Amino acid sequence: MAAGAVGAVPAEPLPLPGRLPGGAGTERALEEAEASGTLSLAGRRLRAFPAAAARRWDLSDTTQADLSRNRFGEVPEAACRLVSLEGLSLHHNCLRSVPPAIANLQALAHLDLSRNQLSSLPACLCLLPLRVLNASNNRLARLPPNLGALRTLRQLDVGCNRLRALPPGLGQLRALRDLNVRRNQLAALPEELSELPLVRLDFSCNQVVAIPRCFRRLRHLQTLLADNNPLQFPPAQICLKGKVHVFKYLEAEAAAHPAPACPPDESCPLRQRGGLDSGFHSVDSGSKRWSGNECSDESSEPSRQHREMHGRAACDSDPEQLEEEPSPEGGPQLPAAPQEPGGVDGEREREEPGQDPPPETPPGPRRSPQPPKTQRLLQPFLLLLFLLPQCHQASPPRPRPADG
């Protein structure tokens, strides 16, 4: 043995060319993935995906990939090229970002990004046909504003993050059944959640003060976890009794404070312009009954012409009769003289053959004086109301003597 050989440290063997980072087990896992369609590289302390070695095998038909419990700093680009993936598990890594290339996985239905260091989720993530999304135990301060685009999402877990509010788009997840937002910094729950078919809702360990009354419409809800919140509505003692008592309290409060039946706007049908006219005490005496569906501008012009026509006819027939009115004490009244065919009644019958006669009105006390113009328009109609009842009781009119 040569001098100086004593105490020498043997050199470490050099890695063989083409050896994978995870050893022979990684190579065997890639080979099995080609045959089974399931890639399992979990718990191998990988810092990078073995893309160069993976080219030896055809992984285009891989549908499941488990890359959990490794040391990936971001989602491997090579994994984003497995376009047939339906499930991708990346929990327990060191992920700080999700690349836009993940939008290539248009068959992905299950994505697990829990227990990483993510501070946000990209908007392109909401373009995937996800059914399950787990992003719990990260550093998320907000959720994507287009989260409502995940129309097929059934389970969402964003617990143990730093969320202060939930986006309103959460109410568009019409397929959502399970929502977990525990251990965040939420102070309120959006009312849009009441429109979802939730079966399980967990918002424990937050800062929620009140449960909205509209949550009573969550008819499919079976599990409600609301502990460790400073709840004041419903009171804490009600929430401790369980979901049934919480819903009874919300129903009672909703019944005690019902919504207004008709808001103070023009949406009510009875508040339309013009309203309904029953015809009583109206000047036209029947020509405008139930005219609520007619335009006020169109109906006003014919009625004005109608009044002027009868006013002129009454004045031309017998102007002296306009000065005679029944006395309030029931004194002498006008005789029931027969009217000529060209008189007031004759013109009214020719102009309005299809209308009923005005209703009989008993004589009443004399009204207060009216302005001259209004009195001039009303006198012909008051005269007709007085003469018509007597005309029905009188004998038929005498024939007019021949001229000459």
Side-chain angles (χ1 to χ4, degrees):
M1 182 178 295
V6 179
V9 178
E12 294 183 0
L14 296 176
L16 297 176
R19 187 175 182 182
L20 299 180
T26 302
E27 184 175 359
R28 187 165 50 251
L30 293 173
E31 184 179 0
E32 292 176 355
E34 182 182 17
S36 63
T38 301
L39 176 62
S40 179
L41 295 177
R44 298 180 185 273
R45 300 182 181 181
L46 298 176
R47 295 180 181 271
F49 188 82
R55 295 192 186 98
R56 302 177 186 175
W57 295 273
D58 183 12
L59 303 179
S60 59
D61 294 333
T62 303
T63 58
Q64 302 291 330
D66 186 0
L67 306 180
S68 61
R69 296 191 301 275
N70 282 289
R71 300 177 182 178
F72 294 122
E74 64 180 8
V75 179
E77 292 283 348
C80 296
R81 290 194 291 267
L82 303 176
V83 294
S84 299
L85 274 184
E86 299 177 1
L88 177 58
S89 180
L90 287 163
H91 64 86
H92 284 89
N93 275 280
C94 306
L95 301 179
R96 293 182 175 85
S97 63
V98 179
I102 199 171
N104 298 331
L105 306 178
Q106 288 299 313
L108 192 63
H110 186 286
L111 179 60
D112 189 351
L113 299 173
S114 62
R115 297 189 180 276
N116 282 282
Q117 303 175 17
L118 297 173
S119 58
S120 64
L121 296 176
C124 62
L125 196 66
C126 301
L127 304 178
L128 301 177
L130 292 176
R131 295 173 60 89
V132 178
L133 175 59
N134 188 352
S136 61
N137 291 278
N138 279 280
R139 302 175 182 178
L140 299 177
R142 63 183 181 279
L143 295 177
N146 62 335
L147 188 66
L150 294 171
R151 302 293 185 181
T152 59
L153 192 65
R154 298 177 59 90
Q155 180 179 348
L156 176 62
D157 189 351
V158 289
C160 301
N161 280 283
R162 303 175 182 178
L163 300 175
R164 294 182 178 273
L166 297 176
L170 199 63
Q172 302 177 7
L173 303 178
R174 300 301 184 183
L176 194 63
R177 300 292 189 272
D178 189 341
L179 177 61
N180 188 347
V181 292
R182 66 186 305 269
R183 288 193 180 277
N184 279 280
Q185 302 174 17
L186 301 175
L189 298 174
E191 295 185 356
E192 290 79 3
L193 294 181
S194 64
E195 304 174 4
L196 302 180
L198 290 176
V199 177
R200 183 179 184 275
L201 175 60
D202 185 358
F203 62 93
S204 58
C205 302
N206 277 278
Q207 301 174 10
V208 178
V209 178
I211 300 178
R213 291 189 181 96
C214 57
F215 274 33
R216 70 185 187 279
R217 296 196 291 263
L218 293 172
R219 303 300 183 186
H220 303 282
L221 195 65
Q222 299 179 4
T223 303
L224 177 64
L225 301 177
D227 53 297
N228 292 314
N229 279 284
L231 284 171
Q232 300 178 6
F233 182 89
Q237 57 269 24
I238 298 294
C239 297
L240 291 176
K241 295 180 180 180
K243 175 186 70 72
V244 176
H245 292 80
V246 170
F247 274 51
K248 287 183 178 180
Y249 183 89
L250 296 179
E251 290 284 356
E253 286 295 323
H257 303 84
C262 190
D265 54 11
E266 296 185 358
S267 61
C268 294
L270 296 180
R271 291 176 182 161
Q272 297 177 357
R273 184 166 60 92
L276 295 177
D277 184 9
S278 62
F280 298 107
H281 305 292
S282 62
V283 177
D284 294 336
S285 179
S287 62
K288 286 183 62 179
R289 293 187 181 181
W290 301 107
S291 59
N293 296 330
E294 300 177 1
C295 180
S296 59
D297 296 337
E298 297 177 358
S299 61
S300 61
E301 187 63 25
S303 62
R304 190 184 301 111
Q305 296 176 0
H306 188 70
R307 292 194 299 269
E308 293 176 358
M309 183 182 301
H310 286 286
R312 289 195 300 269
C315 293
D316 295 341
S317 61
D318 194 359
E320 296 180 357
Q321 292 181 359
L322 301 178
E323 300 177 0
E324 300 180 4
E325 295 180 359
S327 61
E329 292 83 3
Q333 300 179 357
L334 292 176
Q339 296 291 333
E340 297 181 357
V344 178
D345 292 343
E347 282 191 18
R348 184 175 183 88
E349 291 177 1
R350 287 196 301 268
E351 293 173 359
E352 300 176 353
Q355 293 189 357
D356 298 334
E360 297 183 1
T361 304
R366 186 187 300 273
R367 296 185 179 180
S368 59
Q370 299 179 351
K373 184 177 180 180
T374 307
Q375 184 177 6
R376 186 169 61 255
L377 295 175
L378 293 178
Q379 282 178 350
F381 296 97
L382 294 176
L383 182 61
L384 289 175
L385 293 176
F386 173 76
L387 293 178
L388 284 177
Q390 299 181 8
C391 291
H392 289 294
Q393 300 175 2
S395 60
R398 291 173 293 181
R400 178 185 294 182
D403 297 337

